[in-house]
Amino acid sequence: MTKVKEFIAQNDGEISIQASGGEVWAIDDSCLPDVIGKIERIELSIEEPDETPGVYRVEYVMMYDDNDERLHDDQDVVDNTEYHDYNDLIEALATKYGVSKDIIDVV
């Protein structure tokens, strides 16, 4: 279980999860953000469908904190957005999360 799922399980009400600025945080009904953890490493799985060579898509993204514990499995980016350059996909995720592309490990 990720730290985000643990956080959601311990709280009542609607929780929105944001990953930006190098951190993952939760926003509840009070609109006050709670930092769940700092993003130290990201595992990225990239799909290149056989029927469309040269097209890359996010298959899965898992974020880890400074203790290498699973922080957040970001399903929002698994959306069939197509990239025509492998490095453009990595750069787009680094920009979205506010991290260096050097911490993104392609698995």
Side-chain angles (χ1 to χ4, degrees), residues 7 25-35:
F7 184 89
W25 32 280
I27 302 171
D28 62 12
D29 295 333
S30 70
C31 295
L32 296 174
D34 286 319
V35 175

Side-chain angles (χ1 to χ4, degrees), residues 30-98:
S30 70
C31 295
L32 296 174
D34 286 319
V35 175
I36 298 173
K38 183 173 172 21
I39 302 168
E40 292 292 331
R41 181 171 71 87
I42 297 173
E43 277 186 2
L44 167 65
S45 178
I46 297 175
E47 172 189 30
E48 184 179 8
D50 292 335
E51 61 277 358
T52 54
V55 171
Y56 305 97
R57 296 182 187 139
V58 174
E59 188 170 40
Y60 114 179
V61 172
M62 180 63 72
M63 298 172 203
Y64 293 84
D65 66 9
D66 56 343
N67 294 321
D68 212 36
E69 293 183 39
R70 292 167 30 137
L71 188 56
H72 181 44
D73 175 11
D74 191 0
Q75 290 296 309
D76 290 341
V77 295
V78 183
D79 62 1
N80 288 326
T81 299
E82 295 181 350
Y83 296 87
H84 297 284
D85 185 290
Y86 185 85
N87 292 314
D88 287 348
L89 190 158
I90 294 169
E91 186 67 39
L93 285 182
T95 300
K96 174 181 174 43
Y97 299 135

Side-chain angles (χ1 to χ4, degrees), residues 3-14:
K3 285 188 170 185
V4 165
K5 288 186 179 180
E6 288 174 9
F7 184 89
I8 291 170
Q10 295 172 1
N11 291 279
D12 294 329
E14 186 70 27

